Amino acid sequence: MSEAVFEPRIVAFFCNWCTYLAADLAGTSRMKYPPNARVIRVMCSGRLDPQFMLKAFADGADGVLIGGCHPGDCHYQEGNYKCLRRFHLLKWVVKEMGIEDDRFRLEWISASEGDRLRTVMIDMVEKVRALGPLHWNAPVEEVAVS
Amino acid sequence: MKPKVAFYWCASCGGCEEAVVDLAESILDVVAAVDIVLWPVALDFKKADVEAMEDGSIAAAFINGAIRTTEQEEWAHLLRRKAQTVIAFGACAQMGGIPGLANFSNRAGVFQTVYQESPSTVNAEGVLPETTHRDNGHTVTLPGFFDTVQALHQVIDVDYYIPGCPPTPQLLADAVTALLAGKLPEKGTVLAPDQALCLDCPRKDTKPERLAISEFKRPHQILIDQDKCLLTQGLLCLGPATRSGCGARCIEGNMCCTGCFGPTSRVRDYGGKVLSAIASAADSNDEDQILSILAGIPDPAGTFYRYSLPVSELQRKRL
Amino acid sequence: MPDNKGYLYFPGCSLRATGVAYEESLLELFRVLDIPLQELEDWNCCGATSYMAVDEGSAFLLSARNLSIAGQKENHDLMAPCSACYLVLRKTQDYVAHYPEAGRIVEEGLMAAGLKPFNGVHVRHPLEILYNDVGLARIKAQTVRKWQGGKLACYYGCQAVRPYDEVDRPHDPVRMDELMNAVGAETVDYSLKTKCCGGSLTGTIHDVGIRLNYILLKEAVRKGAEAIVTICPLCQFNLDAYQSEISRQSGEAFDVPILYFTQVLGWALGGDPKALGLRRSIGGKGLVRKWFSPSQEVLAHA
Amino acid sequence: MPEPNGAIRVGVYVCHCGSNIAGIVDCKEVAEYAAGLIHVVVSREYKYMCSDPGQDLIRNDIQEHNLNRIVVASCSPHLHEHTFRVATANGGLNPYYMAMVNIREQDSWVHTDRQAATEKAKDLVRAAVRRVVLQRPLEKARVAIDPNVLVVGGGIAGIHAALTLANAGKHVYLVEREATIGGHMAMFDKTFPTLDCAACILTPKMSAVKAHPNITLWTYSDVEKVDGYVGNYNVRVRRRTRYIREDLCVGCQECIEACVYKQPKFADEFNQGLGKRRPIYLPFPQAIPQTPVIDRDTCIEFKTGKCKKTCLEVCGDRHAIDFKLQDQVEEIKVGNIILATGFQPFDAKRIPYYGYGHYPNVYTSLEIERLVNASGPTNGEVVLRDGKTVPKSIGIIHCVGSRDENTNRWCSRVCCMYSLKLAHLLKEHTGADIFNFYIDMRTPGKSFEEFYQRLLGEGVHFIRGKVAEVTDWVFDPSEEGKLTLRVEDTLLGVVRRIPVDMVVLSVGMEGHQDAQDVRRLFNITCSTEGFFQERHPKLAPVNTFTDGVFLAGCCQGPKDIPDTVAQAGAAAAEALALICAGYVEQEPNCAYVIEEQCSGCKTCIPLCPYSAITFREDNRAEVNPVLCKGCGTCVAACPSGSLQQRMFEDDELFAEIEGVLAYV
């Protein structure tokens, strides 16, 4: 992608029953949003091991988006609450590592909210674009002299 | 003739050396069995002597400590050349260890703290270490200091790992025995059991099947029950995520496991995994309540990456 | 909000001209209610009506300046009695918040004038203040003169109730009716309560303006109302000032008092009749004199 | 992992989906790119991968090039994952050696930049290739299906579904919230376009339900709790007490006559409040069951405890009435569930300018149904609320709460037709002048348009335009005492004022107020409009995303009686298909413990919503594959990485993450 305008790389983890379906709905409704996100499907946001999100950042994602069912609507009853607990603790850690809040988001998007998915995508891309590249996997040059 | 063995220390506290000494009487068996060609903490050898050795002439080099200076890097490469087997000895060599926490900062930050801000420092002129210094005609040099601390395998190829801060003498003894018997496992193995500490925990039976933590406590805040699972007391015991093999010494001492043995072989990022387990136990579905429960965990990143920051997915803080 | 700290007060041009009776009665009413009003200093045109139609951006800026001044005040409740002022101020906030384009114009405009962006200003209308902050209970309790006048038709007009629904229900507002009932006045079921008073049409396309007002008067009378009560200076002016002309054209003699709700309330709550701008009425002078005369003073709680 | 035939050989297939994908994504470029990826042996693009030739392509390549992994880049896995698994299996591979890439719904359809969309497709394909390499061969587990079925809602949909299943010899539990079955259809007078009487065609089916040996009918009851999964649902039903024993009551209704209220006094729900009832009542004469109900809120005994209880006396030694009766809670096991919970009519008060609730002579269509009904509150006499005046002119406003930005945007589909029907009936009853105000006349259905023509012949006036308001303000003496409809006649192009005596609001259909609660109860989804979401709008119109839960009737969307009955039959057939098969295959995505690695830390146990994880004697956790639904929450938490999830193994997901990001 041309660096003229920075195109952020977003890795999105969507649950199979709500947010992934919302993304499908956005498609069948031909809604348009920027092509920056790469979606990885899991059955439930509760499956999301913090290692996945850390891995995504480490491998060069400029932003990570988690999409799950609204509280109370989880296809597996409470998986999204487990996700919520991990998300907050992980968000603190990620922040301590120097990654800005807007790069790491959890959004509840139900199967019928194609329009909401679109809005979130647009908003996330814009916010991350504004923050600029993260490029975690770029080699750090080590100068040992002091 | 006896196999040559080398012990070397990089960025470490010396505790690992103690572990060797802690072999006590059995150290004599070791000495009897092997020929120690390098052990700076105990015997005097010069780098030149080692350089003079034939490549691969050392049977095994036990290197403890993380890599944070150019000198340590040089020694690591040197020993890699000379030794057939390199064993990362202890948490610092294996994962970066406590020195690895410096990756939350960088050289400038570390110097700032150590040579200027620390209360015990008197340094009005703000003199900082330099790699070369000229003083009436003479030039003195110091090793360079890296921005980022690395584990041993991030600098050289490592054959085996002995975990622990410090490792138990038992693990060392076992390793040496295996070495002598030529019975070492597959390259890259961590020479300790591959299950989590809970398996050996003397208190495991007191842990309920449905643990739910509504408030995290810190050791000084409560009177710790000698027999009850520490997590059930609201204490941040990292045993469930930490490799066993230490004999649960901290637990015996009525203290939480802080994770010095690192993760099991199935886990890539110790901190990420342990925080997942801990957060999952937070006893609420209400966002604000969840936040206030988790807020009871002091310095999450420092706590979960206490020994493993340099080998974590993110490796260091972005500055 | 507790009314003791009172409200910022934005009179707007009407209350200093055709609608002066509105200001007089409003100030008297708040005086008897003991609610302080602090006039917004150095206020300017709200940007209403024609200006809004000519150049929206400039209209927003005019409003924005007033809001910006209010924003710097301790008290963020800004009362705008004129429906047009209320609407434009409210609309400006809304557009700035929801339309980036409008937001940019206003931001740049304010910056150029060295003004701070406004935030947290709460634009209020007296009808909704009296209903929400003061409350029917207190109005009832403080009523000293029971209404002896005739039935009233409460006429809300359009700008205060649409599109925003903070003053009252957009299509079938009731709060003025309830306030009138609270002081013992009977109101009629007036189906035209939110229909058009012609606005500035009386000045531009005169016939249409006149016709609209004719309809309003005729229906109020048919429903048995002896007077119309308004919350908007423009409505009041149109209905009042053109009555004779309407009568002439329609051949139906209208002599209907067009009151401000603050006049009725001010009187009922014991305000000084002279301070209520009653003498400024054009239509139904006789009735006004009768209804608000000392002879009509019947103690509410006697 | 070890391969039967040595090296890993991947085949990649990029689908054009006609121009759906190829219109934006450069499929050729993607296929060529994939060809260069490690392990990829074959990489093709094809017009329609889901077509037979498309699937054959996969099968043949597997055999010719002995592929052992397949990647298909096409539409959403929710649409065709199954198709391509089958194709993979037909080639002789384990179906789970296939990975699907969604480059239609989540790429070509949502993006406009060709290059960016193509790059995205490449990234996703690369990730899938890396993932598929690690995928394991898996077998589906089979779960037995309990032959009993729960039908929720006793309207025409529920009734028809229940009877269909019962006639097929399956046992049905029919649960209805109201005191009688029949639903809205029972309230209608005649049905369009045939004008046959609703009661005449409905009541026989109602009695059939009551009489059927395979149907357990619970009215005045609510489903409280549902758990389990397809084939094995456990349901708790609360049967609210009517204070009259169904088993002892003979339906003589003497108790009703005997009530201390000599005259009916309370608004009668069934008649839309146009009629009155007593505290003890039968909703309507043909109600099923024929057991009266006592309404706590209006019964003197319940309010004061000082009633003469004349009802009890007259019931005598039948002892059917008992004021101490408590709710009954029933626990049942069923294999399938059919939701037929119906709709609620739009609340006309939400459009104040039509004056419903303000002007007494503004009615809703449902009120008119009762008004024209021979057994209605006025015995079929159409009079205004004053109870005597017969309207001489009537205005019927279509699309009230339909096709309206301010309320509901959707078309309720039945209003045009029932408005025509009401126009006919009202004319028949009153001979009044009738005006229909419509936006568009929608009569798509068998002999619907003919019915419209017939009405035109009957001299009903049709005015094309959305009514602006119903008002009582008088502009012209002719309007005195009438309700005037102000409307733009879009055919004449003028604004008209039409005074009438009676206004009928043809209200549209909405999902039930508590649709959200019901949806959660049965773990299905709702559309934004508040109707239950079908699995696929075209291909699975009665299925939901939860297996074994089906939809029938207006709870899925507005529809007329024939469509409702058809859908009810379809839902019953879907349930029967599962019952007859006897089992369902479960996606093999459950979690499992790697025994020798588990340290018995118990972290996973409380996280399982299905209590599928048990702690064994030997200090290890164990997952029961039948109970596990495969959410993976426990896997994410296992601190020693000793829990894994099939189809979503850690290494597979890590590979996918690396894959999407491994760009240059």
Side-chain angles (χ1 to χ4, degrees):
Chain A
M1 299 196 173
S2 78
E3 284 310 313
V5 51
F6 161 59
E7 287 299 343
R9 283 272 162 169
I10 310 250
V11 174
F13 297 92
F14 288 170
C15 81
N16 183 61
W17 301 105
C18 285
T19 313
Y20 194 90
L21 285 178
D24 279 357
L25 178 61
T28 39
S29 324
R30 308 296 199 278
M31 297 171 175
K32 303 300 177 201
Y33 57 83
N36 304 60
R38 305 290 180 260
V39 174
I40 291 174
R41 180 171 67 124
V42 288
M43 294 310 284
C44 175
S45 55
R47 170 66 180 96
L48 293 177
D49 184 328
Q51 293 185 101
F52 299 158
M53 286 70 96
L54 291 164
K55 170 76 174 165
F57 279 122
D59 278 17
D62 301 298
V64 172
L65 170 64
I66 300 174
C69 310
H70 286 270
D73 296 358
C74 177
H75 187 80
Y76 302 99
Q77 297 173 22
E78 293 202 339
N80 52 354
Y81 289 119
K82 313 296 192 307
C83 177
L84 181 65
R85 300 173 192 172
R86 295 167 189 149
F87 171 77
H88 282 304
L89 192 48
L90 179 58
K91 198 167 172 77
W92 287 339
V93 169
V94 162
K95 207 177 163 71
E96 283 189 72
M97 297 302 243
I99 296 176
E100 302 87 339
D101 277 341
D102 284 340
R103 294 189 188 272
F104 184 34
R105 280 167 67 166
L106 168 62
E107 296 285 347
W108 306 131
I109 305 175
S110 79
S112 60
E113 296 178 314
D115 49 349
R116 179 164 154 65
L117 180 117
R118 179 177 158 279
T119 331
V120 168
M121 282 286 192
I122 294 171
D123 184 63
M124 175 111 189
V125 171
E126 281 325 303
K127 289 205 166 90
V128 176
R129 197 196 304 279
L131 288 169
L134 186 62
H135 277 330
W136 205 278
N137 59 344
V140 247
E141 81 294 344
E142 271 296 347
V143 225
V145 292
S146 64
Chain B
M1 94 161 221
K2 293 188 285 182
K4 294 189 172 61
V5 173
F7 294 98
Y8 189 74
W9 57 353
C10 297
S12 65
C13 64
C16 291
E17 308 289 350
E18 286 306 321
V20 182
V21 177
D22 283 349
L23 283 169
E25 304 75 44
S26 50
I27 195 167
L28 299 174
D29 313 346
V30 176
V31 174
V34 302
D35 178 3
I36 299 178
V37 296
L38 173 71
W39 191 9
V41 78
L43 316 156
D44 178 27
F45 293 90
K46 293 276 175 285
K47 190 176 179 190
D49 305 333
V50 181
E51 279 165 334
M53 295 181 191
E54 225 172 275
D55 286 2
S57 60
I58 301 175
F62 293 82
I63 305 177
N64 73 71
I67 306 296
R68 84 162 358 156
T69 68
T70 48
E71 182 202 26
Q72 290 155 357
E73 191 181 27
E74 285 163 23
W75 269 97
H77 284 295
L78 176 60
L79 288 169
R80 176 69 275 184
R81 269 208 314 285
K82 303 297 172 188
Q84 294 152 27
T85 307
V86 169
I87 297 168
F89 187 64
C92 302
Q94 184 198 359
M95 306 181 286
I98 298 291
L101 288 169
N103 285 3
F104 280 117
S105 179
N106 59 7
R107 178 179 51 244
V110 172
F111 284 6
Q112 177 75 10
T113 311
V114 177
Y115 297 104
Q116 285 170 313
E117 288 167 357
S118 67
S120 59
T121 304
V122 182
N123 181 2
E125 314 74 43
V127 178
L128 294 180
E130 301 163 326
T131 46
T132 58
H133 180 71
R134 295 193 54 77
D135 192 26
N136 54 32
H138 303 285
T139 302
V140 283
T141 63
L142 272 178
F145 190 100
F146 293 123
D147 271 318
T148 302
V149 175
Q150 288 179 292
L152 189 58
H153 69 269
Q154 293 170 313
V155 175
I156 61 167
D157 182 35
V158 171
D159 300 293
Y160 298 102
Y161 304 85
I162 298 179
C165 181
T168 60
Q170 190 52 49
L171 288 178
L172 172 58
D174 294 353
V176 174
T177 324
L179 178 69
L180 295 175
K183 288 212 179 64
L184 282 163
E186 175 192 1
K187 184 171 188 283
T189 309
V190 176
L191 302 176
D194 201 7
Q195 285 118 342
L197 183 58
C198 291
L199 192 67
D200 312 340
C201 181
R203 307 184 185 189
K204 63 168 175 266
D205 297 337
T206 66
K207 185 174 185 182
E209 281 202 6
R210 311 191 78 79
L211 172 67
I213 301 172
S214 51
E215 188 190 357
F216 286 99
K217 310 257 180 33
R218 300 181 65 175
H220 65 273
Q221 293 172 316
I222 58 166
L223 213 57
I224 306 176
D225 182 325
Q226 302 269 2
D227 313 306
K228 222 157 121 244
C229 165
L230 293 153
L231 271 166
T232 58
Q233 301 184 55
L235 294 164
L236 211 57
C237 178
L238 306 188
T242 308
R243 195 183 276 266
S244 63
C246 59
R249 285 178 304 182
C250 297
I251 312 299
E252 297 288 5
N254 207 23
M255 269 295 144
C256 288
C257 169
T258 56
C260 70
F261 266 53
T264 62
S265 63
R266 280 92 57 193
V267 174
R268 298 185 177 212
D269 187 290
Y270 178 86
K273 198 64 194 184
V274 69
L275 87 77
S276 180
I278 298 292
S280 305
D283 187 17
S284 173
N285 283 345
D286 170 73
E287 186 152 21
D288 299 337
Q289 225 171 346
I290 290 172
L291 283 166
S292 65
I293 293 173
L294 297 178
I297 300 173
D299 175 25
T303 305
F304 299 133
Y305 288 116
R306 185 184 305 242
Y307 301 96
S308 62
L309 186 57
V311 297
S312 68
E313 288 287 358
L314 298 179
Q315 296 190 1
R316 63 164 295 111
K317 178 177 180 153
R318 179 158 160 268
L319 296 162
Chain C
M1 69 128 245
D3 49 35
N4 51 23
K5 85 170 155 79
Y7 304 84
L8 287 174
Y9 169 46
F10 179 84
C13 60
S14 301
L15 273 72
R16 292 293 160 83
T18 54
V20 66
Y22 192 5
E23 174 166 62
E24 290 167 342
S25 54
L26 181 82
L27 297 178
E28 178 64 4
L29 172 61
F30 276 70
R31 186 189 63 75
V32 296
L33 281 169
D34 190 27
I35 302 174
L37 296 181
Q38 177 198 359
E39 180 169 338
L40 190 70
E41 85 263 2
D42 192 30
W43 57 270
N44 56 263
C45 168
C46 69
T49 54
S50 45
Y51 207 152
M52 185 59 86
V54 178
D55 175 356
E56 217 174 32
S58 318
F60 285 145
L61 275 171
L62 284 168
S63 250
R65 181 174 179 279
N66 295 314
L67 289 166
S68 169
I69 297 169
Q72 309 316 314
K73 293 273 174 282
E74 176 79 1
N75 186 346
H76 275 178
D77 281 39
L78 177 65
M79 176 169 81
C82 167
S83 298
C85 303
Y86 173 83
L87 180 59
V88 179
L89 289 165
R90 191 65 193 72
K91 183 177 174 183
T92 304
Q93 287 184 314
D94 188 25
Y95 275 49
V96 167
H98 296 104
Y99 301 93
E101 180 56 10
R104 194 184 49 72
I105 294 175
V106 167
E107 195 181 335
E108 289 171 359
L110 288 177
M111 221 179 325
L115 287 163
K116 293 202 179 54
F118 51 84
N119 32 33
V121 176
H122 188 187
V123 180
R124 310 286 307 264
H125 188 283
L127 173 58
E128 156 267 329
I129 286 173
L130 289 161
Y131 189 88
N132 293 325
D133 298 1
V134 179
L136 293 173
R138 182 172 164 199
I139 297 287
K140 269 205 186 71
Q142 279 191 241
T143 302
V144 293
R145 302 193 183 105
K146 194 168 186 314
W147 181 251
Q148 296 297 299
K151 291 190 191 169
L152 306 173
C154 290
Y155 176 59
Y156 298 75
C158 58
Q159 301 193 100
V161 290
R162 285 194 302 278
Y164 305 106
D165 59 2
E166 289 136 31
V167 174
D168 206 333
R169 303 204 299 243
H171 293 287
D172 53 345
V174 293
R175 290 175 174 178
M176 191 178 0
D177 293 78
E178 291 183 27
L179 284 166
M180 293 300 120
N181 301 151
V183 300
E186 192 181 336
T187 56
V188 301
D189 175 16
Y190 188 44
S191 311
L192 303 180
K193 50 170 65 166
T194 62
K195 292 289 183 295
C196 182
C197 73
S200 47
L201 284 176
T202 44
T204 52
I205 314 173
H206 191 65
D207 306 354
V208 177
I210 290 298
R211 183 165 163 285
L212 289 166
N213 284 283
Y214 165 62
I215 291 169
L216 293 174
L217 287 163
K218 186 173 150 75
E219 178 66 7
V221 172
R222 191 187 72 89
K223 277 289 177 84
E226 290 182 68
I228 296 176
V229 194
T230 72
I231 58 170
C232 169
L234 190 55
C235 299
Q236 195 278 343
F237 174 78
N238 280 333
L239 285 162
D240 206 7
Y242 296 98
Q243 263 185 54
S244 50
E245 183 177 348
I246 291 170
S247 307
R248 229 179 300 113
Q249 287 192 13
S250 65
E252 301 166 43
F254 291 106
D255 192 23
V256 184
I258 311 298
L259 303 166
Y260 288 104
F261 76 123
T262 43
Q263 291 178 308
V264 177
L265 292 176
W267 190 77
L269 270 61
D272 172 2
K274 287 182 206 55
L276 294 170
L278 294 160
R279 59 195 166 73
R280 304 180 188 278
S281 292
I282 303 169
K285 276 200 167 53
L287 286 175
V288 175
R289 220 174 285 111
K290 175 156 165 273
W291 292 346
F292 293 90
S293 71
S295 65
Q296 292 295 308
E297 294 199 19
V298 175
L299 289 190
H301 302 289
Chain D
M1 53 181 306
E3 285 306 310
N5 46 3
I8 289 183
R9 302 169 62 83
V10 183
V12 177
Y13 301 85
V14 184
C15 180
H16 291 204
C17 194
S19 62
N20 281 305
I21 294 171
I24 292 292
V25 173
D26 184 335
C27 298
K28 188 162 176 298
E29 190 180 326
V30 176
E32 281 165 0
Y33 171 80
L37 294 170
I38 179 164
H39 294 309
V40 175
V41 181
V42 180
S43 178
R44 303 183 191 281
E45 40 163 340
Y46 189 73
K47 204 150 190 53
Y48 290 105
M49 279 311 295
C50 59
S51 66
D52 285 352
Q55 297 183 50
D56 294 345
L57 209 57
I58 297 176
R59 194 181 64 226
N60 300 339
D61 284 354
I62 292 174
Q63 279 142 13
E64 273 175 42
H65 305 268
N66 54 61
L67 303 177
N68 47 33
R69 296 289 192 286
I70 299 299
V71 170
V72 183
S74 56
C75 48
S76 168
H78 281 280
L79 203 58
H80 273 309
E81 193 166 44
H82 179 70
T83 313
F84 296 119
R85 279 194 188 140
V86 171
T88 308
N90 290 342
L93 284 182
N94 180 289
Y96 293 90
Y97 276 146
M98 192 279 301
M100 216 176 151
V101 184
N102 184 342
I103 57 169
R104 191 179 74 170
E105 284 82 349
Q106 298 188 19
D107 192 357
S108 67
W109 277 353
V110 286
H111 305 320
T112 47
D113 177 335
R114 279 189 71 85
Q115 195 209 337
T118 306
E119 288 307 318
K120 180 174 179 177
K122 288 186 195 170
D123 291 349
L124 294 171
V125 168
R126 181 179 55 237
V129 169
R130 293 197 182 197
R131 187 192 205 285
V132 79
V133 164
L134 299 167
Q135 284 175 207
R136 285 75 161 164
L138 298 168
E139 297 299 332
K140 284 190 168 180
R142 287 183 168 192
V143 185
I145 301 274
D146 183 313
N148 296 349
V149 181
L150 167 69
V151 175
V152 186
I156 181 58
I159 288 172
H160 186 76
L163 286 172
T164 310
L165 289 158
N167 292 338
K170 308 304 171 197
H171 192 85
V172 179
Y173 297 92
L174 178 55
V175 176
E176 165 60 48
R177 166 157 48 185
E178 303 299 330
T180 174
I181 54 172
H184 283 101
M185 184 176 175
M187 300 174 179
F188 301 158
D189 180 46
K190 302 268 192 318
T191 57
F192 61 77
T194 48
L195 294 179
D196 39 1
C197 127
C200 313
I201 55 176
L202 179 62
T203 44
K205 287 179 83 92
M206 289 166 63
S207 332
V209 166
K210 181 69 183 159
H212 208 298
N214 290 343
I215 298 179
T216 304
L217 174 60
W218 287 332
T219 56
Y220 217 53
S221 307
D222 308 293
V223 175
E224 275 190 339
K225 189 163 174 294
V226 179
D227 50 36
Y229 50 95
V230 57
N232 304 270
Y233 287 106
N234 304 306
V235 182
R236 189 168 79 221
V237 178
R238 171 172 300 273
R239 301 178 61 191
R240 280 174 278 126
T241 178
R242 21 176 105 209
Y243 303 102
I244 296 175
R245 293 183 188 281
E246 270 185 64
D247 50 345
L248 300 180
C249 174
V250 294
C252 66
Q253 299 178 37
E254 283 173 26
C255 50
I256 300 176
E257 293 309 316
C259 179
V260 291
Y261 283 98
K262 287 286 152 270
Q263 287 308 319
K265 181 165 184 291
F266 307 100
D268 155 5
E269 297 81 0
F270 184 81
N271 282 320
Q272 303 299 299
L274 293 172
K276 301 255 181 287
R277 62 160 173 81
R278 297 187 170 88
I280 182 168
Y281 68 102
L282 201 60
F284 62 102
Q286 306 94 324
I288 297 287
Q290 283 279 305
T291 314
V293 189
I294 297 176
D295 167 25
R296 279 191 77 100
D297 305 338
T298 48
C299 171
I300 296 200
E301 177 59 15
F302 281 110
K303 283 162 70 185
T304 67
K306 296 200 192 64
C307 183
K308 289 212 278 334
K309 303 204 232 16
T310 41
C311 51
L312 217 104
E313 287 167 20
V314 69
C315 191
D317 51 17
R318 283 192 291 269
H319 303 299
I321 304 178
D322 178 352
F323 289 95
K324 299 199 175 34
L325 282 180
Q326 297 295 321
D327 294 359
Q328 271 171 284
V329 172
E330 312 267 1
E331 300 276 353
I332 53 173
K333 280 185 109 324
V334 296
N336 291 282
I337 298 172
I338 294 176
L339 293 179
T341 52
F343 67 96
Q344 77 183 21
F346 173 79
D347 173 11
K349 286 204 179 73
R350 281 172 57 195
I351 306 183
Y353 40 90
Y354 284 169
Y356 182 75
H358 184 69
Y359 302 124
N361 293 327
V362 179
Y363 293 78
T364 67
S365 40
L366 209 49
E367 286 173 326
I368 299 299
E369 292 280 359
R370 297 313 301 152
L371 215 49
V372 296
N373 187 288
S375 62
T378 59
N379 303 322
E381 207 185 326
V382 177
V383 288
L384 299 175
R385 290 220 202 239
D386 65 9
K388 46 183 197 299
T389 319
V390 177
K392 292 186 189 51
S393 53
I394 303 171
I396 302 177
I397 306 177
H398 294 214
C399 298
V400 176
S402 302
R403 307 182 64 197
D404 176 1
E405 286 292 329
N406 301 314
T407 55
N408 299 331
R409 303 177 63 167
W410 59 89
C411 167
S412 295
R413 287 188 57 199
V414 294
C415 317
C416 282
M417 283 307 291
Y418 80 59
S419 300
L420 292 174
K421 176 192 72 181
L422 291 178
H424 170 83
L425 295 173
L426 286 166
K427 197 154 187 65
E428 197 174 58
H429 282 65
T430 64
D433 270 335
I434 306 210
F435 302 85
N436 275 63
F437 300 88
Y438 66 98
I439 305 174
D440 300 291
M441 189 58 68
R442 297 188 168 179
T443 59
K446 197 173 177 189
S447 55
F448 283 13
E449 182 66 16
E450 296 87 324
F451 188 71
Y452 175 33
Q453 294 303 326
R454 169 179 173 182
L455 265 286
L456 288 168
E458 288 177 4
V460 173
H461 309 287
F462 289 89
I463 296 171
R464 185 171 174 281
K466 204 168 190 302
V467 174
E469 70 169 342
V470 175
T471 179
D472 69 345
W473 71 273
V474 172
F475 186 63
D476 175 286
S478 66
E479 299 169 355
E480 199 60 58
K482 292 185 179 289
L483 293 168
T484 301
L485 296 99
R486 299 179 65 218
V487 58
E488 180 191 7
D489 186 324
T490 57
L491 297 181
L492 293 183
V494 297
V495 174
R496 298 176 63 177
R497 297 176 59 89
I498 297 174
V500 296
D501 300 324
M502 172 189 257
V503 172
V504 181
L505 304 179
S506 296
V507 292
M509 294 185 183
E510 289 181 335
H512 271 293
Q513 230 143 21
D514 59 357
Q516 292 295 336
D517 309 332
V518 178
R519 167 180 79 73
R520 293 204 177 98
L521 191 59
F522 293 93
N523 194 12
I524 61 173
T525 48
C526 248
S527 68
T528 29
E529 294 77 24
F531 294 104
F532 297 146
Q533 185 91 54
E534 63 278 8
R535 189 180 200 119
H536 189 281
K538 317 267 182 311
L539 305 177
V542 299
N543 304 64
T544 65
F545 282 104
T546 302
D547 294 333
V549 177
F550 305 99
L551 304 174
C554 294
C555 62
Q556 177 263 344
K559 55 182 63 67
D560 61 10
I561 294 167
D563 287 7
T564 299
V565 171
Q567 205 186 27
E574 291 281 354
L576 281 171
L578 286 175
I579 296 169
C580 297
Y583 65 85
V584 278
E585 289 188 320
Q586 263 187 332
E587 197 73 330
N589 59 7
C590 56
Y592 63 97
V593 177
I594 309 167
E595 267 202 30
E596 61 281 14
Q597 299 174 343
C598 172
S599 71
C601 73
K602 303 175 190 152
T603 304
C604 51
I605 295 173
L607 302 181
C608 180
Y610 308 99
S611 315
I613 311 178
T614 45
F615 192 66
R616 291 197 326 220
E617 282 304 307
D618 65 352
N619 193 54
R620 299 271 203 273
E622 184 179 37
V623 179
N624 175 343
V626 180
L627 294 178
C628 174
K629 302 279 167 310
C631 62
T633 303
C634 56
V635 181
C638 177
S640 63
S642 311
L643 257 168
Q644 283 300 329
Q645 179 186 12
R646 299 203 165 80
M647 293 176 68
F648 294 90
E649 308 269 350
D650 279 351
D651 57 0
E652 294 170 358
L653 288 162
F654 278 120
E656 212 174 333
I657 298 166
E658 280 163 10
V660 291
L661 288 165
Y663 57 95
V664 282

